[in-house]
Structures are given as structure tokens and as C-alpha cells.
Amino acid sequence: MKITRTFVLSGVALLALSGCSSATPQPEPSPSSSKISYADGLHAKVLSVETANTITVDVDGRTKEVRLLNVVAPTEHNNEFSGSCLVPESTEFLKQKLPEGTEVTLDFDDSRVGSSGYLEAAVYVGDDLINADVVREGFATTTFLSQRDEHYAPVSEAQQEAAREGRGIYSKDVECSLPHAIQLHLDRVHRADDSQNEEERVGLYKSASNFYNTLMSEAKSPDTWVGSIVTLDAVKDQLKELKNALGKNYYDVQGKSEREKQSEANEPIRPGS
């Protein structure tokens, strides 16, 4: 019995080694070579934070750069109002929220790749939506992508809160912020009202008027704003205060003041004119 059993085992071993069997098992594909399924609930591990809205993660052994969905972060070379405000501070905030090794869950919108070409996702740590956290502290703003944009609402609400509370780029105390710039012109208008120097007064009035007119022209093309039209909504009361402070000393885009226009309107019409 022992001899027979040994013979059978040897036969199987020889058959396997010779490769004659048609049922030779194939090696399993490694995780890094398999295709990633970009479905809600995708697990990833943070490798690094690049900016306030861009992180690098590991997904099943593959490195991916991810943009935070609905989040527009300030950048060094952005020339728009507040566009380059608090760049290092905003990046550091996200680094504190997502230190290396943090386990995150990614959810996606209709299109996982945005117009920027980046993989875009709602990033969660547990139930905490990181996209909204960055915006809530005033370190970034939100942007609307599509009518079926399911993640826009919580991020937009976070931005409204930041504006109400005057955080980050919505703070009058932050020199690079839009509220600070408006307040600066408002203070100059009040100073002009007390000035005895007519040239100085007119210069300050014109400067504040030009600033106001620029903001109003930008309102017609909100996509040029870091936070789209919501940013203007956040400062509309301040803008109204500036316009009211200027009063008759407001200069329109043609460079004519309300005082001059009122004076012209009150002039009697001369015969033959």
C-alpha cells in the first residue's frame, strides 16, 4: 500500500512539473495592477497635502492626486481679489486636518474628473466632510459644478458661515482680504470728508469710486471671482456702506461725480442751446 501511494503522488508531481496539465493555476493579479473602481466609499490613505484643495493619496497601492470637490483654494499666482490670500495658512490648515497616514473615504460627483483634469472627490474622515471644513474656516471658497452637484450644498453653507463670522479671507483684519480692502477705502472716504485739501479729497473719492466700480463690473462675470458670486454676496453690505459714504462724491465709470451730474441737471436751459 505504501509503494502504490508513493507512485501515485510521484505521478502527479511529474505531471505538474512537465506542464502537461491544461488546468495550470495562473498567478493572482497584484492590487497595484488591478483597475481602481471609482465608486462612492472608496478608501484611501493620505500621503501628502499639496495645497488647501489638493492632496496625494494611496489607493490600493497606487498614488493618486485628488482635488477637493467644490473647493477653490487661494494660489500664489492668482491676481483676482483675495485670490492669493492666506496661501500658506490654508495649506497648513489642511495638513493639520489630514496628516500623513490619515485614512479617508472618497465620494464622487457625476464626473469623477473635473474640468481641471484632476480626480475630484468629497473627502471624508469618518463623517467629517473635509471639503466643508476648509471652507468653513475661510481658507478657501466654493464653486458650483452642475445641477446634479450633490456635494455643493454643505460646502456652500460652510462658506456662508465663514462670511457671517468673518473668518479667514472674510476677515477685515486680514490685510489681503476683500473686506479689509473695502474697509480701507471706507476709512479713506471718511478722512477725505474731513480734509481741507480739495485735491486730496477728490483723489480719495475717485480712488474709492474706481475700486467700487471694479467690483461691480466683476459681479457681471462671477466666474472670475475666487468664490464666485457668493463672495460678492458676503460683502454686499460693506459695498453698500461704501457707496452711501461716497454719496454725491461717487464717480461713475466715465469719471463724472453725482454732484456734477446733479449740478448739470439743475442748470437752466439757455435759449438756442
Side-chain angles (χ1 to χ4, degrees):
M1 290 294 292
K2 288 183 179 179
I3 295 174
T4 304
R5 195 171 190 182
T6 302
F7 178 79
V8 172
L9 289 174
S10 299
V12 173
L14 287 171
L15 194 62
L17 289 172
S18 66
C20 294
S21 172
S22 60
T24 303
Q26 298 299 314
E28 291 292 327
S30 63
S32 60
S33 64
S34 60
K35 187 176 181 180
I36 299 174
S37 177
Y38 292 102
D40 286 356
L42 182 66
H43 294 290
K45 181 182 292 186
V46 176
L47 298 178
S48 61
V49 170
E50 318 310 327
T51 69
N53 73 336
T54 307
I55 62 176
T56 301
V57 301
D58 176 281
V59 182
D60 291 335
R62 303 176 76 172
T63 300
K64 293 292 178 181
E65 196 164 57
V66 176
R67 280 276 176 91
L68 272 60
L69 190 65
N70 297 120
V71 177
V72 181
T75 60
E76 293 286 358
H77 305 294
N78 191 322
N79 294 322
E80 304 297 341
F81 293 107
S82 301
S84 57
C85 188
L86 300 178
V87 174
E89 292 86 349
S90 62
T91 303
E92 183 59 32
F93 174 81
L94 189 56
K95 286 181 178 180
Q96 295 296 321
K97 294 290 293 186
L98 297 176
E100 182 180 352
T102 302
E103 300 284 347
V104 297
T105 303
L106 308 180
D107 282 358
F108 303 94
D109 199 6
D110 290 346
S111 175
R112 63 181 178 82
V113 177
S115 58
S116 63
Y118 284 89
L119 176 66
E120 297 187 344
V123 179
Y124 288 89
V125 175
D127 294 328
D128 188 14
L129 178 58
I130 301 300
N131 307 47
D133 289 346
V134 179
V135 173
R136 185 175 292 107
E137 293 304 315
F139 287 127
T141 57
T142 187
T143 183
F144 186 79
L145 300 179
S146 69
Q147 293 298 324
R148 298 180 63 184
D149 195 345
E150 60 181 298
H151 301 288
Y152 173 75
V155 182
S156 178
E157 289 169 7
Q159 177 170 296
Q160 311 263 352
E161 181 181 331
R164 285 195 306 270
E165 299 298 325
R167 299 175 188 149
I169 62 172
Y170 300 106
S171 172
K172 294 179 182 179
D173 297 328
V174 174
E175 291 187 3
C176 55
S177 74
L178 183 56
H180 179 84
I182 299 173
Q183 187 62 46
L184 194 64
H185 280 286
L186 186 59
D187 292 342
R188 288 173 179 172
V189 168
H190 292 319
R191 188 169 76 244
D193 292 340
D194 298 331
S195 175
Q196 301 299 314
N197 187 314
E198 183 177 358
E199 185 177 352
E200 180 186 19
R201 282 203 311 275
V202 172
L204 291 172
Y205 291 143
K206 285 185 175 181
S207 176
S209 296
N210 289 338
F211 176 76
Y212 176 87
N213 292 335
T214 299
L215 294 184
M216 290 300 97
S217 67
E218 293 288 345
K220 298 173 184 177
S221 53
D223 56 313
T224 65
W225 283 79
V226 174
S228 191
I229 197 65
V230 182
T231 300
L232 272 184
D233 285 344
V235 296
K236 63 183 179 181
D237 289 339
Q238 252 189 304
L239 286 174
K240 185 177 180 180
E241 185 180 1
L242 177 59
K243 180 71 179 298
N244 289 340
L246 283 165
K248 294 180 181 179
N249 297 304
Y250 162 71
Y251 286 79
D252 62 19
V253 290
Q254 281 76 41
K256 185 167 288 189
S257 72
E258 293 296 315
R259 188 182 303 279
E260 290 170 338
K261 287 188 282 188
Q262 183 176 348
S263 176
E264 291 174 0
N266 292 334
E267 286 182 3
I269 300 177
R270 293 175 293 176
S273 62

